[in-house]
DNA sequence: CGCCGAGAGTGAGCCGCCTCACAGTTCGGA
DNA sequence: TCCGAACTGTGAGGCGGCTCACTCTCGGCG
């Protein structure tokens, strides 16, 4: 869009249609509509730590993750923060502000270098009215999000440090081949929403009990069932 | 549906179409579709305290509130509970389970005697595919819910007793002509998610300061701006 | 090679909220 | 009219998590 030499990296050649097709939202869409959306969609790259959007911004677009990971958080005036969601390859995010036209509900930052597809509101909304199956898929996705967020409310209400940490560890390592995750205890404490020191003490206990294994910036779950047990009490 | 004389009260004569039209979801719907939905919709009445559905139930229908108030909560195995949502006349609820076909995420109980319209999944889903404008309205409603629930997560994370109580009082009394609400301190403590005793102590302080007025099962906000101030810190 | 910064581990004290216990008050119904 | 149940008010003690302050380890880089 800009003619200036900006910080925006050169957009690589990306088969946008193929990307879109990866997502359930567009999988069954007919070829013409898909081509049309793809034509409008912009490829945007972000470096690790880069801000994608901020809480309160007007939300004009929907993002699909082509490559990398995105974290959505919210911060208080005193500097505390909660993790609201994490999105990986194939996920879409940013749809709330897009749908109701109100400001973004959280901050989105790139957790790793990543590549996104951005769909503008004005290009996306017409599709919804023409293709109800897309709208219905989107309804299912939103329902899932609402379930997830409701679960988060329950966790915060019902679980203490042990339970919340156990749940977080399971979520972080699920999908990973070796049940292991790479992050500092500081980052972990942000995910759990409790202090680094307390997190550390509990990890020590579990490490001594052989439930997990600890290394610098790396954590491996050895006995997931034990954690699952703790998390569901 | 049943031929037996059950506990279900006699359904009164209700103009279902008029009820449906009250809701933004159906306001702009054409007459034929609206008649059709109304024909399928069942009127159901519930007494105060009655259970409408339980967490984990398969969710086959969507409800619209014709009269009364409904509270949706979730409970832990230890008996603690959180209030997830309250629905008043004109609201719809129960749409998540309906849309994604998975179990209900909370318990719904009648806060007052109330009258609901129930729309079955099999009758409602076809409408969505035929009338994309309905699907889009529903997307907006879900977005709003997600915003509200996200806000709840932020509150639980960032606010202490004072802040959360202040927010709850404002929510409870907003819309009321006299900024006053009728409920026991026990019920209030459930809304806030903190102990009755602590709630009481804070109310005493505010009462002495003239911020609120207290009476048996009645609470009046005298200086809403003071509370708003406290809530946003 | 040695330094420096990021990360990990740990004690001590504090603070907010919870629970238990109990007394006082109000109100509806037998 | 009196009893019991629901509701309100309040003290005391305990616990979980936070903060502060510090040490120790590791790894990268000049």
């Amino acid at each position: 869009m800009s003619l200036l030499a900006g910080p925006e990296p050169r957009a690589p050649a990306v088969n946008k249609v193929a990307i879109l097709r990866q997502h359930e939202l567009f999988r069954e869409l007919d070829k013409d509509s898909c081509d049309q959306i793809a034509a409008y969609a912009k490829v945007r790259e972000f470096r690790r730590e880069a801000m994608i959007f901020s809480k309160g911004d007007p939300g004009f677009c929907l993002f699909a993750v082509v490559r990398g990971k995105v974290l959505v958080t919210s911060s208080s005036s005193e500097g505390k923060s909660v993790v609201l969601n994490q999105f990986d390859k194939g996920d879409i995010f940013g749809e709330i502000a897009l749908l109701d036209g109100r400001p973004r509900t959280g901050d989105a930052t790139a957790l790793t270098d990543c590549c996104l597809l951005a769909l503008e509101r004005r290009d996306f909304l017409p599709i919804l009215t023409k293709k109800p199956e897309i709208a219905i898929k989107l309804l299912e996705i939103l329902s899932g999000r609402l379930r997830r967020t409701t679960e988060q409310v329950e966790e915060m209400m019902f679980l203490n440090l042990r339970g919340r940490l156990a749940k977080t560890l399971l979520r972080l390592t699920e999908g990973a081949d070796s049940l292991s995750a790479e992050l500092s205890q500081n980052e972990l404490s942000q995910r759990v929403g409790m202090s680094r020191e307390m997190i550390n003490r509990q990890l020590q206990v579990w490490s001594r009990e052989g439930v997990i294994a600890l290394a610098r910036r790396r954590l491996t779950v050895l006995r997931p069932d034990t954690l699952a047990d703790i998390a569901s009490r």
Side-chain angles (χ1 to χ4, degrees), chain A:
Chain A
M1 175 175 288
S2 165
L3 293 176
L4 302 170
E8 188 87 357
R10 183 90 194 86
V14 168
N15 182 343
K16 294 194 242 175
V17 175
I19 298 295
L20 292 178
R21 282 265 185 252
Q22 281 176 17
H23 196 275
E24 54 166 331
L25 193 56
F26 305 107
R27 193 160 303 144
E28 290 146 34
L29 192 60
D30 62 271
K31 187 168 179 313
D32 279 359
S33 309
C34 213
D35 286 350
Q36 189 194 337
I37 297 180
Y40 285 131
K42 289 190 180 59
V43 176
R44 301 192 56 189
E45 306 239 327
F46 294 87
R47 293 242 159 273
R48 185 165 189 282
E49 306 277 271
M51 177 132 301
I52 299 165
F53 57 72
S54 298
K55 182 167 180 175
D57 286 355
F60 296 129
C61 53
L62 174 75
F63 293 95
V65 181
V66 177
R67 183 174 42 78
K69 294 173 191 294
V70 172
L71 203 63
V72 177
T73 60
S74 174
S75 305
S76 73
S77 41
E78 280 98 13
K80 289 186 72 172
S81 75
V82 221
V83 173
L84 297 176
N85 243 320
Q86 178 180 326
F87 299 104
D88 298 344
K89 177 180 175 176
D91 292 332
I92 63 167
F93 68 96
E95 68 293 326
I96 318 180
L98 182 109
L99 287 168
D100 65 8
R102 294 173 52 207
R104 313 232 78 131
T105 51
D107 301 323
T109 52
L111 200 56
T112 64
D113 286 357
C114 62
C115 173
L116 309 179
L117 271 189
L119 296 174
E120 297 256 342
R121 182 183 171 85
R122 64 162 183 277
D123 301 327
F124 187 68
L125 285 189
I127 303 279
L128 282 185
T129 52
K130 271 182 297 189
K131 304 284 169 187
E133 66 272 21
I134 297 280
I136 289 178
K137 271 271 185 291
L138 201 47
L139 281 170
E140 280 168 30
I141 292 171
L142 275 191
S143 298
R145 290 260 208 288
L146 202 43
R147 270 177 198 281
R148 175 69 193 74
T149 307
T150 301
E151 234 177 72
Q152 196 174 354
V153 169
E154 292 168 357
E155 278 176 33
M156 295 181 65
M157 198 61 198
F158 300 146
L159 296 180
N160 60 9
L161 184 140
R162 295 178 78 227
R164 280 163 70 180
L165 181 53
K167 266 222 156 120
T168 306
L169 293 187
L170 291 173
R171 250 202 302 276
L172 278 173
T173 55
E174 93 185 338
D177 31 321
S178 55
L179 288 184
S180 132
E182 193 189 324
L183 79 178
S184 74
Q185 293 183 3
N186 237 317
E187 292 167 297
L188 181 55
S189 77
Q190 302 254 314
R191 299 287 185 125
V192 182
M194 297 185 145
S195 75
R196 205 249 327 151
E197 292 91 330
M198 294 303 298
I199 298 288
N200 177 284
R201 289 184 244 257
Q202 185 58 55
L203 290 178
Q204 295 304 316
V205 173
W206 284 336
S207 173
R208 269 176 241 125
E209 292 173 359
V211 177
I212 60 173
L214 290 173
R216 191 186 176 79
R217 285 189 63 83
R218 153 151 261 104
L219 190 151
T220 310
V221 174
L222 302 177
R223 289 169 20 207
D225 352 359
T226 306
L227 289 183
D229 221 57
I230 291 169
S232 67
R233 260 187 303 128

